[in-house]
């Protein structure tokens, strides 16, 4: 799956992913009002409004970007109707030719971890049918429970040519409370130990560029990647060296404070190895003074302009 992501990054010339993280305050009022008038003030109305909002965003930027990253919690807060919008969003993204990174941050052990993996990136057999339940291409995984929690995802990746991004050094301010703790055994921070495990897990899931797992030729990157926040560029440089063949998903650009000048160290010399996420900086761009001229009616056009500006920022500061 990483080979497909790399192919799309090269084709679009844009190593970025747009985070589809809808909140009611982001959805333009005219879309909400349309469904409130039809369905009342219900979860079902919100679900339909979120989906229309997402469709407008994807239609506006699909030719510019290789991937989208829906954050499942933003849909779960609206119950089952919200999850319906999530699934419809995943399916529509695929129709637009986009790689889907499901930001689910799951982490458990044994059969529970396997069930999460199957539900999101695997298949279930019902009668004679093999069905993809949710069908993201890549998902985020929390490694706090260790190999017991991650290995089931790696196994499902290998069976279905999918991918995972493991949380290593996250972009939030309090991430250091645990992730930066120094290990007494060697005096190194915990996030470096997690990075080493990502390499180990990744060696079991190399993408040879043919859509099959095998030797590290072709694309040469593992289907097991890492999440490292743009808000910690120095740590990004160190982790890039520790994980030379693991793709890095980089959140924290834009609204969280990361900028193009912080990103160079996340990439390898081949210009690959990282994909940068922006969520509300793009999907709610019309609320930003810089793009206010577009207004709520032009929310999708504002998102497109913000995407173009992000691409230019990365090109100028990284490549």
């Amino acid at each position: 799956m990483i080979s497909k992501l790399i192919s799309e990054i090269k084709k679009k010339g844009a190593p970025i992913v747009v985070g589809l993280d809808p909140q009611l305050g982001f959805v333009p009022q005219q879309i909400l009002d349309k469904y409130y008038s039809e369905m009342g003030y219900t979860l079902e109305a919100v679900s339909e409004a979120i989906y229309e909002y997402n469709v407008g965003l994807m239609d506006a930027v699909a030719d510019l970007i290789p991937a989208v990253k829906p954050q499942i919690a933003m849909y779960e807060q609206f119950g089952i109707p919200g999850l319906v919008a999530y699934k419809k969003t995943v399916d529509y993204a695929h129709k637009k030719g986009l790689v889907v990174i499901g930001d689910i941050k799951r982490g458990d052990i044994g059969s529970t971890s396997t069930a999460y993996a199957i539900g999101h990136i695997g298949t279930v057999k019902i009668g004679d049918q093999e069905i993809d339940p949710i069908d993201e291409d890549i998902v985020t995984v929390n490694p706090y429970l260790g190999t017991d929690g991650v290995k089931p995802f790696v196994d499902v990746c290998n069976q279905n040519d999918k991918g995972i991004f493991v949380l290593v050094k996250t972009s939030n301010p309090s991430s250091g409370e645990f992730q930066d703790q120094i290990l007494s055994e060697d005096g190194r921070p915990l996030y470096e130990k997690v990075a080493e495990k990502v390499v180990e897990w990744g060696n079991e899931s190399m993408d040879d560029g043919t859509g099959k797992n095998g030797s590290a030729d072709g694309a040469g990157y593992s289907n097991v990647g890492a999440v490292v926040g743009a808000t910690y560029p120095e740590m990004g440089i160190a982790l890039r060296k520790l994980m030379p063949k693991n793709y890095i998903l980089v959140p924290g650009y834009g609204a969280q404070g990361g900028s193009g000048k912080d990103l160079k160290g996340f990439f390898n010399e081949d210009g690959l190895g990282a994909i940068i996420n922006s969520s509300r900086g793009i999907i709610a761009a019309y609320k930003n003074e810089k793009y206010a001229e577009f207004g709520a009616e032009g929310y999708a056009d504002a998102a497109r302009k913000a995407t173009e500006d992000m691409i230019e920022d990365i090109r100028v500061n990284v490549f």
Side-chain angles (χ1 to χ4, degrees):
M1 181 50 63
I2 287 296
S3 63
K4 179 180 178 181
L5 179 61
I6 291 171
S7 176
E8 291 300 312
I9 289 172
K10 290 179 176 179
K11 185 188 303 182
K12 304 289 178 63
I16 69 172
V17 53
V18 172
L20 297 177
D21 303 354
Q23 300 181 35
L24 278 184
F26 294 169
V27 181
Q29 195 62 44
Q30 73 271 11
I31 298 178
L32 288 169
D33 288 344
K34 170 185 173 181
Y35 290 101
Y36 288 156
S37 65
E38 292 177 7
M39 308 171 73
Y41 291 95
T42 62
L43 294 174
E44 288 76 13
V46 171
S47 173
E48 292 298 326
I50 286 173
Y51 178 61
E52 180 174 318
Y53 172 60
N54 285 349
V55 166
L57 291 166
M58 287 186 278
D59 285 347
V61 303
D63 64 313
L64 301 176
I65 63 172
V68 291
K69 183 176 71 65
Q71 202 331 307
I72 199 167
M74 298 303 178
Y75 301 82
E76 287 179 337
Q77 66 181 318
F78 301 112
I80 299 303
L83 288 173
V84 170
Y86 182 88
K87 172 57 175 168
K88 288 167 64 177
T89 296
V90 170
D91 292 344
Y92 191 78
H94 283 147
K95 289 179 181 178
K96 300 294 290 187
L98 296 165
V99 174
V100 179
I101 302 171
D103 196 354
I104 64 171
K105 295 185 177 70
R106 297 295 191 250
D108 214 299
I109 60 172
S111 60
T112 307
S113 186
T114 298
Y116 278 137
I118 288 172
H120 287 276
I121 54 175
T123 62
V124 290
K125 188 170 184 179
I126 302 176
D128 294 330
Q129 302 294 315
E130 287 282 345
I131 299 173
D132 304 302
I134 302 180
D135 199 26
E136 300 102 313
D137 300 302
I138 304 169
V139 292
T140 55
V141 176
N142 190 326
Y144 194 78
L145 280 76
T147 298
D148 291 337
V150 177
K151 185 63 163 58
F153 280 91
V154 175
D155 292 342
V156 173
C157 283
N158 290 343
Q159 293 161 10
N160 298 277
D161 186 34
K162 300 281 188 166
I164 60 173
F165 283 117
V166 178
L167 305 181
V168 173
K169 176 58 185 173
T170 55
S171 59
N172 57 300
S174 66
S175 64
E177 290 178 358
F178 296 136
Q179 296 166 18
D180 295 2
Q181 293 301 301
I182 301 301
L183 302 177
S184 59
E185 61 188 54
D186 56 13
R188 298 166 64 202
L190 177 60
Y191 64 78
E192 289 192 3
K193 181 67 173 179
V194 178
E196 291 175 348
K197 294 300 291 185
V198 167
V199 173
E200 179 184 320
W201 297 321
N203 287 339
E204 302 176 27
S205 188
M206 296 302 296
D207 188 329
D208 66 5
T210 66
K212 299 178 180 178
N213 299 310
S215 61
D217 54 10
Y221 285 90
S222 167
N223 278 325
V224 177
V227 177
V228 181
T231 46
Y232 299 103
E234 299 85 2
M235 297 175 185
I237 293 171
L239 289 166
R240 175 76 283 163
K241 293 177 181 177
L242 285 174
M243 303 180 293
K245 289 301 180 181
N246 302 89
Y247 239 76
I248 298 177
L249 169 63
V250 186
Y253 177 92
Q256 287 183 264
S259 65
K261 68 181 186 302
D262 301 318
L263 301 175
K264 191 174 182 63
F266 292 91
F267 290 85
N268 281 320
E269 292 183 2
D270 60 5
L272 299 172
I275 185 165
I276 315 303
N277 176 78
S278 179
S279 298
R280 61 185 179 272
I282 290 176
I283 69 172
Y286 76 97
K287 289 180 168 287
N288 186 320
E289 183 179 352
K290 182 177 180 180
Y291 306 106
E293 64 187 272
F294 292 97
E297 293 285 346
Y299 79 94
D301 293 328
R304 182 177 180 87
K305 185 62 171 67
T307 302
E308 291 172 338
D309 290 347
M310 180 180 175
I311 292 170
E312 182 61 21
D313 183 32
I314 292 173
R315 285 176 178 166
V316 169
N317 288 285
V318 177
F319 302 112

